[in-house]
Amino acid sequence: MNNDTICAVATPAGGALAIIRVSGNKAIEIVSGEFSKNLLQAKGNTLHYGTIGRREAIDDVLISVFRTPHSYTGEDSVEISCHGSSYIVQQILHLLVTKGCRMANPGEYTQRAYLNGKLDLSQAEAVADLIASTNRATHQMALSQLRGHFSSELSHLRDQLLKLTSLLELELDFSDHEELEFADRSELLKLAQTIDAHLTHLAQTFQTGQALKQGIPVAIVGKTNVGKSTLLNRLLKDERAIVSNIHGTTRDTIEDTIDINGVTFRFIDTAGIRQTTDQIEQIGIDRTYQAIGRASIVVWVIDEDPSEEEVKEIQQQCSGKSLIIACNKIDKGVNLTDSSRFGQQAALLQISAKHGQGIDELEAAIYQAADIPEIKENDTIVTNLRHYDALIRAQQSLQRVIDGMSAPLSLSGDLLAEDLRITLDILAEITGGQITTDEVLGNIFKHFCVGK
């Protein structure tokens, strides 16, 4: 690890206050040399008020001192709280650099925390997710991972795998005594199947995690002029889409997100479905069908009783998806209550997108259709593609062990032990036990913001 003392502003520009972080072996020494008070003997976890800039005063600041290993990075660290003026911030950073600091790279503070054993790799990645969280669900998932719940589950699985591996390798040490068997094959098979089931469960949470992280896609579809764009604007509480009495106004998909009960939904307003000779409008209609294919939930907006042909088409397009029929323009007397013809799983709601009637009920129906599991504090939801890939590879390796022990002629212990070792190494990649190259670490931390 590079032992340079690093500095960077850790707060966004434009605020009333700014925080500049300094970390490394000489962090306290460098800052103390430009502070109005001597910090060399300052205890860790203490605050000090004074002026920064010995030769020329820059600002009155509040300085926090953290000593090894009780800091975010595990190193001696200082945080300078100053006024948020960009001039003041730049002057302080310039001063620190001239005294021996260098500017930090993106994610370098968290990378140092990982390398110094303050966080494992999955927890370090959760820091970025926590900063990027935009709603209750993504916040809870990131916080759970940061607190080590995912790491704890993996640690438990690795302990069980180590037990398996140890028993098999013990047999190998006494391979010349064929009558000795330290591990009952049926018990080992049962344990391997239990571990495999746990890995499968973790991998299956990835789809939910991705949906919550990126926003659950909801397509708003229907014929022209039924009020799709008006509905999108109503849901977004913003004039996001053009509304007009002219048929075919919306010619492309329009996307935006809203928060419903702490979960992000990504709404896609689509071109009205109708027969047209307009080439551009037809492209928009084709994209409507593509949007339906990507969506988890489809809101079908109607303003009259649809034909049997239209019902069959929407059912075919929405096969395997949640379908909500929004009967719009109830303010104009439109009122359809018979939902039986749309299928048992379809919900029928009466709304007025123009006047906002029934919108709360529609949002509740959309949230219910998403079928989001309740995320508790200790729940583990996999959201990271790197973690998901490792879980799948670990499953494949463990499956070879299960197949080997289930075969009529069980595989020899050395082959089973090798696959178990591979499984252990793959799981260790998630928390960082097998991460050895700078290239891999650089790829993970380059997406962090500077200052974290």
Side-chain angles (χ1 to χ4, degrees), residues 31-38 49-54 63:
V31 175
S32 180
E34 292 298 327
F35 191 52
S36 57
K37 297 178 181 177
N38 187 349
Y49 176 75
T51 302
I52 194 161
R54 281 282 179 90
I63 287 181

Side-chain angles (χ1 to χ4, degrees), residues 293-326:
R294 299 196 308 269
S296 300
I297 302 168
V298 176
V299 177
W300 184 24
V301 183
I302 58 177
D303 62 358
E304 62 182 6
D305 200 3
S307 66
E308 287 300 322
E309 183 179 343
E310 290 172 325
V311 172
K312 287 181 181 178
E313 181 180 7
I314 199 71
Q315 288 176 334
Q316 182 180 0
Q317 292 289 336
C318 298
S319 178
K321 305 177 186 297
S322 297
L323 176 62
I324 299 172
I325 297 98

Side-chain angles (χ1 to χ4, degrees), residues 20 56 58 85-98:
I20 296 169
E56 181 180 353
I58 298 173
S85 158
S86 59
Y87 174 78
I88 291 174
V89 170
Q90 290 305 315
Q91 286 295 105
I92 295 175
L93 287 173
H94 177 72
L95 181 64
L96 293 172
V97 169
T98 59

Side-chain angles (χ1 to χ4, degrees), residues 72-110:
Y72 179 73
T73 60
E75 306 169 327
D76 283 349
S77 299
V78 173
E79 292 185 357
I80 305 169
S81 179
C82 62
H83 289 97
S85 158
S86 59
Y87 174 78
I88 291 174
V89 170
Q90 290 305 315
Q91 286 295 105
I92 295 175
L93 287 173
H94 177 72
L95 181 64
L96 293 172
V97 169
T98 59
K99 296 302 178 179
C101 290
R102 71 163 171 83
M103 296 300 295
N105 296 318
E108 189 167 2
Y109 293 95
T110 304

Side-chain angles (χ1 to χ4, degrees), residues 377-446:
E377 182 180 345
N378 295 331
D379 287 348
T380 299
I381 305 290
V382 177
T383 62
N384 188 302
L385 182 59
R386 188 182 71 84
H387 301 170
Y388 174 72
D389 175 68
L391 289 170
I392 293 299
R393 288 188 287 116
Q395 271 189 290
Q396 292 169 345
S397 181
L398 186 59
Q399 190 59 52
R400 291 195 294 271
V401 176
I402 293 171
D403 292 342
M405 287 193 289
S406 302
L409 295 175
S410 180
L411 289 179
S412 62
D414 56 343
L415 293 175
L416 295 174
E418 177 61 23
D419 278 324
L420 283 171
R421 281 288 176 191
I422 292 172
T423 306
L424 281 165
D425 288 345
I426 293 171
L427 290 180
E429 290 178 14
I430 296 176
T431 53
Q434 294 297 311
I435 298 292
T436 56
T437 68
D438 290 338
E439 181 181 1
V440 174
L441 288 178
N443 186 58
I444 289 171
F445 289 104
K446 72 180 181 181

Side-chain angles (χ1 to χ4, degrees), residues 10-77:
T11 46
L17 297 175
I19 294 176
I20 296 169
R21 308 182 82 177
V22 188
S23 183
N25 295 336
K26 295 184 177 180
I28 298 174
E29 177 187 336
I30 290 173
V31 175
S32 180
E34 292 298 327
F35 191 52
S36 57
K37 297 178 181 177
N38 187 349
L39 299 175
L40 296 178
Q41 303 304 318
K43 294 182 178 180
N45 303 325
T46 56
L47 294 174
H48 306 269
Y49 176 75
T51 302
I52 194 161
R54 281 282 179 90
R55 188 172 181 181
E56 181 180 353
I58 298 173
D59 194 15
D60 288 343
V61 299
L62 189 65
I63 287 181
S64 309
V65 175
F66 304 95
R67 291 194 176 271
T68 303
H70 304 294
S71 70
Y72 179 73
T73 60
E75 306 169 327
D76 283 349
S77 299

